[in-house]
PDB file of all heavy atoms in Angstrom:
ATOM      1  N   LEU A   1     -11.327  80.965  -6.322  1.00 94.00           N
ATOM      2  CA  LEU A   1     -12.288  79.904  -6.511  1.00 94.00           C
ATOM      3  C   LEU A   1     -12.953  79.424  -5.257  1.00 94.00           C
ATOM      4  O   LEU A   1     -14.194  79.171  -5.228  1.00 94.00           O
ATOM      5  CB  LEU A   1     -11.625  78.771  -7.333  1.00 94.00           C
ATOM      6  CG  LEU A   1     -11.229  78.981  -8.731  1.00 94.00           C
ATOM      7  CD1 LEU A   1     -10.582  77.860  -9.364  1.00 94.00           C
ATOM      8  CD2 LEU A   1     -12.545  79.356  -9.533  1.00 94.00           C
ATOM      9  N   GLU A   2     -12.213  79.259  -4.114  1.00 94.00           N
ATOM     10  CA  GLU A   2     -12.711  78.861  -2.920  1.00 94.00           C
ATOM     11  C   GLU A   2     -13.683  79.873  -2.331  1.00 94.00           C
ATOM     12  O   GLU A   2     -14.699  79.463  -1.833  1.00 94.00           O
ATOM     13  CB  GLU A   2     -11.576  78.602  -1.946  1.00 94.00           C
ATOM     14  CG  GLU A   2     -10.779  77.295  -2.161  1.00 94.00           C
ATOM     15  CD  GLU A   2      -9.642  77.121  -1.316  1.00 94.00           C
ATOM     16  OE1 GLU A   2      -9.531  77.886  -0.238  1.00 94.00           O
ATOM     17  OE2 GLU A   2      -8.866  76.159  -1.459  1.00 94.00           O
ATOM     18  N   GLU A   3     -13.415  81.187  -2.504  1.00 94.00           N
ATOM     19  CA  GLU A   3     -14.261  82.228  -2.059  1.00 94.00           C
ATOM     20  C   GLU A   3     -15.664  82.025  -2.737  1.00 94.00           C
ATOM     21  O   GLU A   3     -16.703  82.167  -2.166  1.00 94.00           O
ATOM     22  CB  GLU A   3     -13.698  83.595  -2.215  1.00 94.00           C
ATOM     23  CG  GLU A   3     -12.606  83.933  -1.253  1.00 94.00           C
ATOM     24  CD  GLU A   3     -11.981  85.281  -1.514  1.00 94.00           C
ATOM     25  OE1 GLU A   3     -12.630  86.073  -2.267  1.00 94.00           O
ATOM     26  OE2 GLU A   3     -10.929  85.528  -1.080  1.00 94.00           O
ATOM     27  N   LYS A   4     -15.551  81.846  -4.073  1.00 94.00           N
ATOM     28  CA  LYS A   4     -16.770  81.802  -4.868  1.00 94.00           C
ATOM     29  C   LYS A   4     -17.603  80.533  -4.495  1.00 94.00           C
ATOM     30  O   LYS A   4     -18.809  80.625  -4.402  1.00 94.00           O
ATOM     31  CB  LYS A   4     -16.460  81.750  -6.343  1.00 94.00           C
ATOM     32  CG  LYS A   4     -16.077  83.129  -6.887  1.00 94.00           C
ATOM     33  CD  LYS A   4     -16.035  83.199  -8.333  1.00 94.00           C
ATOM     34  CE  LYS A   4     -15.657  84.554  -8.810  1.00 94.00           C
ATOM     35  NZ  LYS A   4     -16.060  84.868 -10.207  1.00 94.00           N
ATOM     36  N   ILE A   5     -16.917  79.468  -4.336  1.00 95.00           N
ATOM     37  CA  ILE A   5     -17.552  78.158  -3.988  1.00 95.00           C
ATOM     38  C   ILE A   5     -18.203  78.346  -2.536  1.00 95.00           C
ATOM     39  O   ILE A   5     -19.351  77.987  -2.391  1.00 95.00           O
ATOM     40  CB  ILE A   5     -16.568  76.992  -4.014  1.00 95.00           C
ATOM     41  CG1 ILE A   5     -16.205  76.678  -5.409  1.00 95.00           C
ATOM     42  CG2 ILE A   5     -17.144  75.803  -3.342  1.00 95.00           C
ATOM     43  CD1 ILE A   5     -15.091  75.648  -5.593  1.00 95.00           C
ATOM     44  N   ASN A   6     -17.484  78.982  -1.621  1.00 94.00           N
ATOM     45  CA  ASN A   6     -17.994  79.083  -0.288  1.00 94.00           C
ATOM     46  C   ASN A   6     -19.220  80.075  -0.222  1.00 94.00           C
ATOM     47  O   ASN A   6     -20.222  79.833   0.452  1.00 94.00           O
ATOM     48  CB  ASN A   6     -16.932  79.621   0.669  1.00 94.00           C
ATOM     49  CG  ASN A   6     -15.969  78.525   1.035  1.00 94.00           C
ATOM     50  OD1 ASN A   6     -16.242  77.310   0.917  1.00 94.00           O
ATOM     51  ND2 ASN A   6     -14.722  78.952   1.351  1.00 94.00           N
ATOM     52  N   SER A   7     -19.163  81.137  -1.154  1.00 94.00           N
ATOM     53  CA  SER A   7     -20.290  81.995  -1.171  1.00 94.00           C
ATOM     54  C   SER A   7     -21.559  81.314  -1.766  1.00 94.00           C
ATOM     55  O   SER A   7     -22.696  81.494  -1.332  1.00 94.00           O
ATOM     56  CB  SER A   7     -19.997  83.256  -1.930  1.00 94.00           C
ATOM     57  OG  SER A   7     -19.773  82.971  -3.282  1.00 94.00           O
ATOM     58  N   LYS A   8     -21.330  80.457  -2.793  1.00 94.00           N
ATOM     59  CA  LYS A   8     -22.409  79.696  -3.421  1.00 94.00           C
ATOM     60  C   LYS A   8     -22.970  78.690  -2.311  1.00 94.00           C
ATOM     61  O   LYS A   8     -24.165  78.528  -2.343  1.00 94.00           O
ATOM     62  CB  LYS A   8     -21.913  79.006  -4.609  1.00 94.00           C
ATOM     63  CG  LYS A   8     -21.499  79.819  -5.782  1.00 94.00           C
ATOM     64  CD  LYS A   8     -22.719  80.544  -6.398  1.00 94.00           C
ATOM     65  CE  LYS A   8     -22.228  81.304  -7.581  1.00 94.00           C
ATOM     66  NZ  LYS A   8     -23.286  82.038  -8.254  1.00 94.00           N
ATOM     67  N   LYS A   9     -22.094  78.058  -1.579  1.00 95.00           N
ATOM     68  CA  LYS A   9     -22.511  77.103  -0.527  1.00 95.00           C
ATOM     69  C   LYS A   9     -23.379  77.903   0.503  1.00 95.00           C
ATOM     70  O   LYS A   9     -24.465  77.293   0.920  1.00 95.00           O
ATOM     71  CB  LYS A   9     -21.312  76.458   0.132  1.00 95.00           C
ATOM     72  CG  LYS A   9     -20.708  75.351  -0.639  1.00 95.00           C
ATOM     73  CD  LYS A   9     -19.608  74.713   0.082  1.00 95.00           C
ATOM     74  CE  LYS A   9     -18.933  73.578  -0.686  1.00 95.00           C
ATOM     75  NZ  LYS A   9     -17.754  72.996   0.077  1.00 95.00           N
ATOM     76  N   ARG A  10     -22.931  79.044   0.881  1.00 94.00           N
ATOM     77  CA  ARG A  10     -23.710  79.800   1.901  1.00 94.00           C
ATOM     78  C   ARG A  10     -25.035  80.147   1.361  1.00 94.00           C
ATOM     79  O   ARG A  10     -26.059  80.068   2.063  1.00 94.00           O
ATOM     80  CB  ARG A  10     -22.921  81.065   2.250  1.00 94.00           C
ATOM     81  CG  ARG A  10     -22.216  80.902   3.539  1.00 94.00           C
ATOM     82  CD  ARG A  10     -21.505  82.281   3.954  1.00 94.00           C
ATOM     83  NE  ARG A  10     -20.168  82.281   3.440  1.00 94.00           N
ATOM     84  CZ  ARG A  10     -19.699  83.138   2.572  1.00 94.00           C
ATOM     85  NH1 ARG A  10     -20.532  84.137   2.133  1.00 94.00           N
ATOM     86  NH2 ARG A  10     -18.480  83.118   2.119  1.00 94.00           N
ATOM     87  N   ALA A  11     -25.066  80.631   0.139  1.00 94.00           N
ATOM     88  CA  ALA A  11     -26.406  81.005  -0.595  1.00 94.00           C
ATOM     89  C   ALA A  11     -27.316  79.710  -0.540  1.00 94.00           C
ATOM     90  O   ALA A  11     -28.446  79.874  -0.352  1.00 94.00           O
ATOM     91  CB  ALA A  11     -26.139  81.639  -1.911  1.00 94.00           C
ATOM     92  N   TRP A  12     -26.680  78.666  -0.981  1.00 94.00           N
ATOM     93  CA  TRP A  12     -27.578  77.370  -1.055  1.00 94.00           C
ATOM     94  C   TRP A  12     -28.103  77.027   0.315  1.00 94.00           C
ATOM     95  O   TRP A  12     -29.311  76.587   0.455  1.00 94.00           O
ATOM     96  CB  TRP A  12     -26.630  76.328  -1.695  1.00 94.00           C
ATOM     97  CG  TRP A  12     -27.406  75.034  -1.881  1.00 94.00           C
ATOM     98  CD1 TRP A  12     -27.347  73.919  -1.129  1.00 94.00           C
ATOM     99  CD2 TRP A  12     -28.373  74.738  -2.827  1.00 94.00           C
ATOM    100  NE1 TRP A  12     -28.136  72.897  -1.567  1.00 94.00           N
ATOM    101  CE2 TRP A  12     -28.859  73.438  -2.657  1.00 94.00           C
ATOM    102  CE3 TRP A  12     -28.898  75.464  -3.928  1.00 94.00           C
ATOM    103  CZ2 TRP A  12     -29.754  72.851  -3.494  1.00 94.00           C
ATOM    104  CZ3 TRP A  12     -29.776  74.876  -4.758  1.00 94.00           C
ATOM    105  CH2 TRP A  12     -30.251  73.604  -4.566  1.00 94.00           C
ATOM    106  N   LYS A  13     -27.217  77.086   1.314  1.00 94.00           N
ATOM    107  CA  LYS A  13     -27.714  76.795   2.772  1.00 94.00           C
ATOM    108  C   LYS A  13     -28.764  77.693   3.165  1.00 94.00           C
ATOM    109  O   LYS A  13     -29.777  77.286   3.759  1.00 94.00           O
ATOM    110  CB  LYS A  13     -26.517  76.798   3.699  1.00 94.00           C
ATOM    111  CG  LYS A  13     -25.609  75.504   3.582  1.00 94.00           C
ATOM    112  CD  LYS A  13     -24.484  75.597   4.539  1.00 94.00           C
ATOM    113  CE  LYS A  13     -23.625  74.441   4.414  1.00 94.00           C
ATOM    114  NZ  LYS A  13     -22.532  74.348   5.429  1.00 94.00           N
ATOM    115  N   GLU A  14     -28.646  78.967   2.835  1.00 94.00           N
ATOM    116  CA  GLU A  14     -29.697  79.997   3.175  1.00 94.00           C
ATOM    117  C   GLU A  14     -31.010  79.559   2.452  1.00 94.00           C
ATOM    118  O   GLU A  14     -32.065  79.761   2.972  1.00 94.00           O
ATOM    119  CB  GLU A  14     -29.271  81.375   2.737  1.00 94.00           C
ATOM    120  CG  GLU A  14     -28.210  81.985   3.738  1.00 94.00           C
ATOM    121  CD  GLU A  14     -27.558  83.213   3.247  1.00 94.00           C
ATOM    122  OE1 GLU A  14     -28.118  83.788   2.133  1.00 94.00           O
ATOM    123  OE2 GLU A  14     -26.682  83.762   3.847  1.00 94.00           O
ATOM    124  N   LYS A  15     -30.969  79.267   1.137  1.00 94.00           N
ATOM    125  CA  LYS A  15     -32.104  78.884   0.432  1.00 94.00           C
ATOM    126  C   LYS A  15     -32.783  77.598   1.022  1.00 94.00           C
ATOM    127  O   LYS A  15     -33.973  77.539   1.183  1.00 94.00           O
ATOM    128  CB  LYS A  15     -31.754  78.557  -1.033  1.00 94.00           C
ATOM    129  CG  LYS A  15     -31.871  79.740  -1.928  1.00 94.00           C
ATOM    130  CD  LYS A  15     -31.702  79.298  -3.374  1.00 94.00           C
ATOM    131  CE  LYS A  15     -31.695  80.556  -4.295  1.00 94.00           C
ATOM    132  NZ  LYS A  15     -31.575  80.197  -5.691  1.00 94.00           N
ATOM    133  N   GLU A  16     -31.877  76.660   1.383  1.00 95.00           N
ATOM    134  CA  GLU A  16     -32.392  75.424   1.993  1.00 95.00           C
ATOM    135  C   GLU A  16     -33.116  75.766   3.228  1.00 95.00           C
ATOM    136  O   GLU A  16     -34.260  75.180   3.641  1.00 95.00           O
ATOM    137  CB  GLU A  16     -31.273  74.392   2.257  1.00 95.00           C
ATOM    138  CG  GLU A  16     -30.887  73.588   1.113  1.00 95.00           C
ATOM    139  CD  GLU A  16     -29.802  72.580   1.473  1.00 95.00           C
ATOM    140  OE1 GLU A  16     -29.059  72.804   2.438  1.00 95.00           O
ATOM    141  OE2 GLU A  16     -29.738  71.535   0.829  1.00 95.00           O
ATOM    142  N   ALA A  17     -32.524  76.564   4.116  1.00 95.00           N
ATOM    143  CA  ALA A  17     -33.146  76.926   5.435  1.00 95.00           C
ATOM    144  C   ALA A  17     -34.471  77.670   5.174  1.00 95.00           C
ATOM    145  O   ALA A  17     -35.441  77.373   5.885  1.00 95.00           O
ATOM    146  CB  ALA A  17     -32.204  77.884   6.143  1.00 95.00           C
ATOM    147  N   HIS A  18     -34.490  78.561   4.204  1.00 94.00           N
ATOM    148  CA  HIS A  18     -35.734  79.226   3.875  1.00 94.00           C
ATOM    149  C   HIS A  18     -36.862  78.283   3.427  1.00 94.00           C
ATOM    150  O   HIS A  18     -38.004  78.363   3.917  1.00 94.00           O
ATOM    151  CB  HIS A  18     -35.436  80.315   2.731  1.00 94.00           C
ATOM    152  CG  HIS A  18     -36.749  80.928   2.262  1.00 94.00           C
ATOM    153  ND1 HIS A  18     -37.404  81.861   2.973  1.00 94.00           N
ATOM    154  CD2 HIS A  18     -37.333  80.894   1.089  1.00 94.00           C
ATOM    155  CE1 HIS A  18     -38.398  82.305   2.348  1.00 94.00           C
ATOM    156  NE2 HIS A  18     -38.482  81.732   1.105  1.00 94.00           N
ATOM    157  N   TYR A  19     -36.541  77.363   2.560  1.00 95.00           N
ATOM    158  CA  TYR A  19     -37.438  76.396   2.098  1.00 95.00           C
ATOM    159  C   TYR A  19     -37.935  75.437   3.192  1.00 95.00           C
ATOM    160  O   TYR A  19     -39.113  75.011   3.318  1.00 95.00           O
ATOM    161  CB  TYR A  19     -37.059  75.608   0.868  1.00 95.00           C
ATOM    162  CG  TYR A  19     -37.023  76.480  -0.353  1.00 95.00           C
ATOM    163  CD1 TYR A  19     -35.794  76.529  -1.143  1.00 95.00           C
ATOM    164  CD2 TYR A  19     -38.061  77.223  -0.805  1.00 95.00           C
ATOM    165  CE1 TYR A  19     -35.744  77.264  -2.287  1.00 95.00           C
ATOM    166  CE2 TYR A  19     -38.107  77.943  -1.892  1.00 95.00           C
ATOM    167  CZ  TYR A  19     -36.885  78.037  -2.698  1.00 95.00           C
ATOM    168  OH  TYR A  19     -36.819  78.786  -3.806  1.00 95.00           O
ATOM    169  N   ALA A  20     -37.009  75.054   4.021  1.00 95.00           N
ATOM    170  CA  ALA A  20     -37.350  74.222   5.246  1.00 95.00           C
ATOM    171  C   ALA A  20     -38.330  74.961   6.207  1.00 95.00           C
ATOM    172  O   ALA A  20     -39.250  74.393   6.666  1.00 95.00           O
ATOM    173  CB  ALA A  20     -36.045  73.828   5.968  1.00 95.00           C
ATOM    174  N   ASP A  21     -38.048  76.239   6.379  1.00 94.00           N
ATOM    175  CA  ASP A  21     -38.902  77.064   7.187  1.00 94.00           C
ATOM    176  C   ASP A  21     -40.351  77.154   6.587  1.00 94.00           C
ATOM    177  O   ASP A  21     -41.344  77.055   7.302  1.00 94.00           O
ATOM    178  CB  ASP A  21     -38.374  78.433   7.434  1.00 94.00           C
ATOM    179  CG  ASP A  21     -37.191  78.454   8.342  1.00 94.00           C
ATOM    180  OD1 ASP A  21     -37.008  77.558   8.998  1.00 94.00           O
ATOM    181  OD2 ASP A  21     -36.492  79.469   8.260  1.00 94.00           O
ATOM    182  N   MET A  22     -40.383  77.254   5.276  1.00 95.00           N
ATOM    183  CA  MET A  22     -41.685  77.393   4.569  1.00 95.00           C
ATOM    184  C   MET A  22     -42.431  76.089   4.632  1.00 95.00           C
ATOM    185  O   MET A  22     -43.666  76.093   4.974  1.00 95.00           O
ATOM    186  CB  MET A  22     -41.494  77.676   3.158  1.00 95.00           C
ATOM    187  CG  MET A  22     -41.112  79.177   2.807  1.00 95.00           C
ATOM    188  SD  MET A  22     -40.698  79.624   1.113  1.00 95.00           S
ATOM    189  CE  MET A  22     -42.339  79.274   0.340  1.00 95.00           C
ATOM    190  N   ILE A  23     -41.685  74.972   4.550  1.00 95.00           N
ATOM    191  CA  ILE A  23     -42.434  73.693   4.598  1.00 95.00           C
ATOM    192  C   ILE A  23     -42.873  73.393   6.054  1.00 95.00           C
ATOM    193  O   ILE A  23     -43.996  72.926   6.238  1.00 95.00           O
ATOM    194  CB  ILE A  23     -41.414  72.538   4.186  1.00 95.00           C
ATOM    195  CG1 ILE A  23     -41.213  72.614   2.659  1.00 95.00           C
ATOM    196  CG2 ILE A  23     -41.894  71.168   4.544  1.00 95.00           C
ATOM    197  CD1 ILE A  23     -40.076  71.733   2.152  1.00 95.00           C
ATOM    198  N   ASN A  24     -42.082  73.804   7.012  1.00 94.00           N
ATOM    199  CA  ASN A  24     -42.490  73.560   8.452  1.00 94.00           C
ATOM    200  C   ASN A  24     -43.699  74.438   8.781  1.00 94.00           C
ATOM    201  O   ASN A  24     -44.593  74.032   9.475  1.00 94.00           O
ATOM    202  CB  ASN A  24     -41.324  73.866   9.349  1.00 94.00           C
ATOM    203  CG  ASN A  24     -40.273  72.851   9.395  1.00 94.00           C
ATOM    204  OD1 ASN A  24     -40.554  71.675   8.958  1.00 94.00           O
ATOM    205  ND2 ASN A  24     -39.049  73.134   9.725  1.00 94.00           N
ATOM    206  N   ALA A  25     -43.684  75.708   8.268  1.00 94.00           N
ATOM    207  CA  ALA A  25     -44.843  76.589   8.453  1.00 94.00           C
ATOM    208  C   ALA A  25     -46.121  75.993   7.871  1.00 94.00           C
ATOM    209  O   ALA A  25     -47.203  75.999   8.486  1.00 94.00           O
ATOM    210  CB  ALA A  25     -44.523  77.913   7.923  1.00 94.00           C
ATOM    211  N   TYR A  26     -46.035  75.478   6.642  1.00 95.00           N
ATOM    212  CA  TYR A  26     -47.122  74.852   5.909  1.00 95.00           C
ATOM    213  C   TYR A  26     -47.691  73.609   6.716  1.00 95.00           C
ATOM    214  O   TYR A  26     -48.775  73.482   6.915  1.00 95.00           O
ATOM    215  CB  TYR A  26     -46.756  74.430   4.556  1.00 95.00           C
ATOM    216  CG  TYR A  26     -47.736  73.561   3.844  1.00 95.00           C
ATOM    217  CD1 TYR A  26     -48.854  74.225   3.238  1.00 95.00           C
ATOM    218  CD2 TYR A  26     -47.657  72.250   3.733  1.00 95.00           C
ATOM    219  CE1 TYR A  26     -49.759  73.531   2.631  1.00 95.00           C
ATOM    220  CE2 TYR A  26     -48.537  71.524   3.047  1.00 95.00           C
ATOM    221  CZ  TYR A  26     -49.614  72.076   2.511  1.00 95.00           C
ATOM    222  OH  TYR A  26     -50.584  71.400   1.862  1.00 95.00           O
ATOM    223  N   ARG A  27     -46.749  72.775   7.212  1.00 94.00           N
ATOM    224  CA  ARG A  27     -47.182  71.622   7.990  1.00 94.00           C
ATOM    225  C   ARG A  27     -47.771  72.024   9.277  1.00 94.00           C
ATOM    226  O   ARG A  27     -48.862  71.431   9.689  1.00 94.00           O
ATOM    227  CB  ARG A  27     -45.977  70.746   8.299  1.00 94.00           C
ATOM    228  CG  ARG A  27     -45.433  69.963   6.955  1.00 94.00           C
ATOM    229  CD  ARG A  27     -44.291  69.065   7.317  1.00 94.00           C
ATOM    230  NE  ARG A  27     -43.776  68.361   6.196  1.00 94.00           N
ATOM    231  CZ  ARG A  27     -42.594  67.901   6.055  1.00 94.00           C
ATOM    232  NH1 ARG A  27     -41.689  68.006   7.034  1.00 94.00           N
ATOM    233  NH2 ARG A  27     -42.239  67.363   5.000  1.00 94.00           N
ATOM    234  N   LYS A  28     -47.292  73.071   9.947  1.00 94.00           N
ATOM    235  CA  LYS A  28     -47.853  73.549  11.170  1.00 94.00           C
ATOM    236  C   LYS A  28     -49.281  74.121  10.946  1.00 94.00           C
ATOM    237  O   LYS A  28     -50.222  73.786  11.717  1.00 94.00           O
ATOM    238  CB  LYS A  28     -46.971  74.581  11.790  1.00 94.00           C
ATOM    239  CG  LYS A  28     -47.432  75.043  13.087  1.00 94.00           C
ATOM    240  CD  LYS A  28     -46.365  76.046  13.700  1.00 94.00           C
ATOM    241  CE  LYS A  28     -46.896  76.607  14.976  1.00 94.00           C
ATOM    242  NZ  LYS A  28     -46.005  77.636  15.586  1.00 94.00           N
ATOM    243  N   GLU A  29     -49.399  74.903   9.880  1.00 94.00           N
ATOM    244  CA  GLU A  29     -50.725  75.464   9.545  1.00 94.00           C
ATOM    245  C   GLU A  29     -51.781  74.294   9.169  1.00 94.00           C
ATOM    246  O   GLU A  29     -52.957  74.364   9.718  1.00 94.00           O
ATOM    247  CB  GLU A  29     -50.623  76.410   8.350  1.00 94.00           C
ATOM    248  CG  GLU A  29     -51.843  77.051   7.958  1.00 94.00           C
ATOM    249  CD  GLU A  29     -51.681  78.065   6.807  1.00 94.00           C
ATOM    250  OE1 GLU A  29     -50.515  78.486   6.540  1.00 94.00           O
ATOM    251  OE2 GLU A  29     -52.702  78.280   6.123  1.00 94.00           O
ATOM    252  N   LYS A  30     -51.307  73.395   8.488  1.00 94.00           N
ATOM    253  CA  LYS A  30     -52.153  72.244   8.128  1.00 94.00           C
ATOM    254  C   LYS A  30     -52.541  71.426   9.384  1.00 94.00           C
ATOM    255  O   LYS A  30     -53.705  71.091   9.487  1.00 94.00           O
ATOM    256  CB  LYS A  30     -51.391  71.266   7.021  1.00 94.00           C
ATOM    257  CG  LYS A  30     -52.248  70.281   6.471  1.00 94.00           C
ATOM    258  CD  LYS A  30     -51.352  69.542   5.375  1.00 94.00           C
ATOM    259  CE  LYS A  30     -52.237  68.468   4.647  1.00 94.00           C
ATOM    260  NZ  LYS A  30     -51.527  67.829   3.732  1.00 94.00           N
ATOM    261  N   LYS A  31     -51.666  71.279  10.321  1.00 93.00           N
ATOM    262  CA  LYS A  31     -51.934  70.516  11.494  1.00 93.00           C
ATOM    263  C   LYS A  31     -52.943  71.327  12.353  1.00 93.00           C
ATOM    264  O   LYS A  31     -53.901  70.807  12.914  1.00 93.00           O
ATOM    265  CB  LYS A  31     -50.597  70.220  12.273  1.00 93.00           C
ATOM    266  CG  LYS A  31     -50.804  69.434  13.502  1.00 93.00           C
ATOM    267  CD  LYS A  31     -49.470  69.142  14.146  1.00 93.00           C
ATOM    268  CE  LYS A  31     -49.626  68.347  15.417  1.00 93.00           C
ATOM    269  NZ  LYS A  31     -48.350  68.101  16.141  1.00 93.00           N
ATOM    270  N   GLU A  32     -52.731  72.658  12.448  1.00 93.00           N
ATOM    271  CA  GLU A  32     -53.722  73.473  13.239  1.00 93.00           C
ATOM    272  C   GLU A  32     -55.028  73.446  12.605  1.00 93.00           C
ATOM    273  O   GLU A  32     -56.029  73.376  13.404  1.00 93.00           O
ATOM    274  CB  GLU A  32     -53.142  74.948  13.321  1.00 93.00           C
ATOM    275  CG  GLU A  32     -51.935  75.130  14.198  1.00 93.00           C
ATOM    276  CD  GLU A  32     -51.316  76.464  14.120  1.00 93.00           C
ATOM    277  OE1 GLU A  32     -51.816  77.320  13.334  1.00 93.00           O
ATOM    278  OE2 GLU A  32     -50.387  76.718  14.889  1.00 93.00           O
ATOM    279  N   LYS A  33     -55.114  73.472  11.319  1.00 92.00           N
ATOM    280  CA  LYS A  33     -56.446  73.463  10.636  1.00 92.00           C
ATOM    281  C   LYS A  33     -57.233  72.155  10.984  1.00 92.00           C
ATOM    282  O   LYS A  33     -58.339  72.065  11.193  1.00 92.00           O
ATOM    283  CB  LYS A  33     -56.392  73.542   9.131  1.00 92.00           C
ATOM    284  CG  LYS A  33     -56.140  74.984   8.671  1.00 92.00           C
ATOM    285  CD  LYS A  33     -56.106  74.980   7.186  1.00 92.00           C
ATOM    286  CE  LYS A  33     -55.857  76.477   6.593  1.00 92.00           C
ATOM    287  NZ  LYS A  33     -55.806  76.501   5.166  1.00 92.00           N
ATOM    288  N   LYS A  34     -56.391  71.025  10.941  1.00 91.00           N
ATOM    289  CA  LYS A  34     -56.932  69.704  11.168  1.00 91.00           C
ATOM    290  C   LYS A  34     -57.460  69.685  12.712  1.00 91.00           C
ATOM    291  O   LYS A  34     -58.476  69.159  12.969  1.00 91.00           O
ATOM    292  CB  LYS A  34     -55.844  68.687  11.005  1.00 91.00           C
ATOM    293  CG  LYS A  34     -56.397  67.225  11.006  1.00 91.00           C
ATOM    294  CD  LYS A  34     -55.325  66.306  10.621  1.00 91.00           C
ATOM    295  CE  LYS A  34     -55.845  64.818  10.530  1.00 91.00           C
ATOM    296  NZ  LYS A  34     -54.750  63.939  10.130  1.00 91.00           N
TER     297      LYS A  34
END
């Protein structure tokens, strides 16, 4: 159970990092356009 929970946590953190990168890229692009 701990292995499964840890793997889900890792996957969740990877998704969070991916979405944070996408948001930062969007904000940077928007700022550059401005």
